Amino acid sequence: MDANDGFRELDRQECLRLMAKVPVGRIVYTRQALPAVLPVNFCLDRDAAVLVRTSASSELVGAIVGAVVAFEADAVDAGTHSGWSVVVMGPATLVTDPAEHARLLRTGPLSWAPAPAPQEVFVRIAPELVTGRELVGGRSLYGVHLPS
Amino acid sequence: MDANDGFRELDRQECLRLMAKVPVGRIVYTRQALPAVLPVNFCLDRDAAVLVRTSASSELVGAIVGAVVAFEADAVDAGTHSGWSVVVMGPATLVTDPAEHARLLRTGPLSWAPAPAPQEVFVRIAPELVTGRELVGGRSLYGVHLPS
């Protein structure tokens, strides 16, 4: 841990273990050359890809499929100034294989919708880069740190 | 509220009221042409600008000052599938006026660092665009919604 900035870099396995604990993360992408962010519920696939279930007609699908996106999840305790943040970065692709789609209908993220949604699709974010850091209680948070 | 997607657009005042309830948000920006995201603690200034306190030598300052960034805050209850998300978008600028800096040292976001940080600076994200939505319990979440 860097004593100056109060957080510890997490390895890939630590990142994935922490991500698996939270139901919601944030897709970070570019929309019309501007930064965009959207919270979604998700789960991790067997290969650690981030899986998101959405509507084929959603703006999100049009915006991210084929692009490299970041997916962020975190948990912070403001009382103890402790927590963690993980970012998965990679290309977002639509699951088009029927067998794979069928598998994800059984094992992938549930829709939080009250009724079954026709035209549902699964988007995969490949875990090409997985980075994260743990905030150590009592130290500064992420972007708010002591200079070296 | 759109009955198809289960969330309600929030007006600017609702967005700011909700943001004021949470200590941590996420700065979304572009780094080397790729999406980047960093959780930080923050507060809202009198004009609803997002204020972040960080080190003059932080990578964050170099990456966002002078750029248009998005700042996202949210709170989601996975049990009830209810919550909200707010995004403030605008240019990030460094507070350079000594009087303004002195005011923010008194009233701005606290550093979560255990010791005073020399070379601390305040970054303002102008609230040029403030958007948000409330997730209605039992309906789908944000990117996960029923098609129209």
Side-chain angles (χ1 to χ4, degrees), chain A residues 128-141:
Chain A
E128 288 190 353
L129 183 64
V130 179
T131 58
R133 41 194 180 179
E134 178 184 29
L135 168 67
V136 178
R139 300 301 187 93
S140 61
L141 175 62

Side-chain angles (χ1 to χ4, degrees), chain A residues 26 28 35 38-39 41 53-55 57 72 74 78 81 85 89 112 117-119 133 139-140 142-147, chain B residues 23 26 28 35 38-39 41 53-55 57 72 74 78 81 85 89 112 117-118 133 139-140 142-147:
Chain A
R26 297 145 201 99
V28 175
L38 189 70
N41 62 310
R53 183 172 185 158
T54 185
S55 157
S57 61
E72 190 268 354
D74 60 52
H81 295 185
S85 172
M89 188 171 297
W112 284 11
Q119 301 180 313
R133 41 194 180 179
R139 300 301 187 93
S140 61
Y142 306 107
V144 186
H145 56 75
L146 301 176
Chain B
R26 298 145 200 101
V28 174
L38 189 70
N41 62 310
R53 184 172 185 160
T54 186
S55 156
S57 61
E72 190 266 355
D74 60 52
H81 295 185
S85 172
M89 188 172 295
W112 285 12
R133 40 194 178 180
R139 300 303 186 92
S140 61
Y142 306 108
V144 185
H145 56 75
L146 301 175

Side-chain angles (χ1 to χ4, degrees), chain A residues 85-142:
Chain A
S85 172
V86 169
V87 176
V88 171
M89 188 171 297
T93 56
L94 205 59
V95 173
T96 55
D97 176 66
E100 186 68 352
H101 182 84
R103 178 181 72 87
L104 296 181
L105 284 173
R106 297 189 306 272
T107 64
L110 297 175
S111 170
W112 284 11
Q119 301 180 313
E120 275 192 334
V121 292
F122 293 96
V123 175
R124 289 173 56 89
I125 300 170
E128 288 190 353
L129 183 64
V130 179
T131 58
R133 41 194 180 179
E134 178 184 29
L135 168 67
V136 178
R139 300 301 187 93
S140 61
L141 175 62
Y142 306 107

